């Protein structure tokens, strides 16, 4: 694997723990995708049809603003993108992140945490967001997964 980046969005800290393990296993740089407007617990209440996360999910054009940006994205060949699964797909802030950069000829590796939802069609959706990239099949993992387990997953993908 050439130079890699682990970029992640974590609403509650769970995905952050997993992202750190993935970065260690890959020997990758780490970047947190932080929203300009932080999510509150009310924003994340998926049972409330008027919560921010629900409204963003129901609006395919929603693109929450990101506070910081990756300098020199061109130096990375592989970008692991981590997030919590919301309704079987990546939160819209992941679309914001991916649309900000040119991923031509880069490999994107999605990984996610979830309290119950699977990956659904996340990889296919992200491939449409960055059609010039090679988006690999994503994997949902527990935040307490070991570095050895993550390395095995990477080997299985040929990374």
């Amino acid at each position: 694997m050439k130079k890699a980046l682990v970029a992640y969005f974590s609403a509650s800290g769970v995905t952050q723990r997993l992202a750190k393990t993935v970065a260690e296993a890959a020997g990758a740089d780490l970047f947190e995708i932080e929203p300009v407007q932080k999510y509150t617990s009310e924003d994340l209440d998926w049972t409330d049809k008027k919560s921010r996360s629900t409204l963003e999910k129901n609006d395919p054009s929603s693109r929450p603003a990101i506070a910081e940006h990756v300098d020199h994205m061109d130096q990375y060949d592989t970008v692991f993108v981590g997030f919590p699964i919301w309704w079987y797909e990546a939160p819209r802030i992941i679309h914001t992140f991916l649309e900000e950069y040119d991923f031509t000829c880069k490999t994107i590796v999605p990984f996610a945490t979830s309290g119950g939802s699977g990956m659904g069609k996340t990889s296919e959706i992200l491939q449409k967001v960055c059609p010039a990239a090679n988006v690999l099949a994503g994997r949902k993992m527990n935040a307490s997964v070991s570095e050895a387990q993550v390395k095995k997953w990477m080997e299985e993908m040929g990374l």
Side-chain angles (χ1 to χ4, degrees), residues 35-40 42-45 48 50-57 64-65 86 93:
V36 168
Q37 180 185 354
K38 303 284 186 205
Y39 289 86
T40 66
E42 292 83 16
D43 291 335
L44 300 172
D45 182 0
D48 179 358
K50 294 184 180 180
S51 73
R52 178 175 164 204
S53 60
T54 303
L55 293 173
E56 288 174 0
K57 185 266 182 208
W86 290 356
I93 194 167

Side-chain angles (χ1 to χ4, degrees), residues 6 16 32 35 39 43-44 56-57 83 94 104 123 125-126 134 146 152-153 157:
V6 173
Q16 180 180 45
E32 183 176 3
Y39 289 86
D43 291 335
L44 300 172
E56 288 174 0
K57 185 266 182 208
F83 44 84
I94 297 302
T104 301
S123 294
I125 293 166
L126 297 182
N134 176 28
S146 72
K152 182 178 179 195
W153 168 60
M157 291 187 299

Side-chain angles (χ1 to χ4, degrees), residues 15-155:
T15 305
Q16 180 180 45
R17 288 193 301 276
L18 176 57
K20 288 179 179 179
T21 303
V22 172
E24 289 171 18
D29 294 338
L30 191 63
F31 176 79
E32 183 176 3
I33 301 168
E34 295 181 81
V36 168
Q37 180 185 354
K38 303 284 186 205
Y39 289 86
T40 66
S41 58
E42 292 83 16
D43 291 335
L44 300 172
D45 182 0
W46 61 273
T47 64
D48 179 358
K49 293 181 190 277
K50 294 184 180 180
S51 73
R52 178 175 164 204
S53 60
T54 303
L55 293 173
E56 288 174 0
K57 185 266 182 208
N58 289 330
D59 178 3
S61 66
S62 176
R63 296 296 182 268
I66 295 174
E68 301 290 328
H69 307 278
V70 176
D71 291 328
H72 309 291
M73 180 63 87
D74 56 327
Q75 69 183 313
Y76 300 106
D77 301 296
T78 303
V79 180
F80 293 85
V81 181
F83 44 84
I85 286 289
W86 290 356
W87 296 277
Y88 300 96
E89 60 185 81
R92 299 287 183 225
I93 194 167
I94 297 302
H95 296 228
T96 306
F97 174 78
L98 293 174
E99 290 171 350
E100 185 170 333
Y101 304 99
D102 179 5
F103 286 99
T104 301
C105 299
K106 294 185 187 294
T107 298
I108 296 174
V109 186
F111 65 94
T113 58
S114 173
S117 298
M119 292 289 283
K121 295 185 178 191
T122 299
S123 294
E124 293 92 343
I125 293 166
L126 297 182
Q127 183 69 71
K128 290 176 184 172
V129 174
C130 348
N134 176 28
V135 179
L136 300 183
R139 179 166 293 177
K140 181 181 92 167
M141 293 182 265
N142 186 297
S144 62
V145 69
S146 72
E147 186 176 335
Q149 290 170 307
V150 172
K151 283 184 178 181
K152 182 178 179 195
W153 168 60
M154 290 177 189
E155 288 170 6

Side-chain angles (χ1 to χ4, degrees), residues 2-13:
K2 297 180 182 175
K3 188 150 175 116
L5 174 70
V6 173
Y8 70 93
F9 164 67
S10 186
S12 65

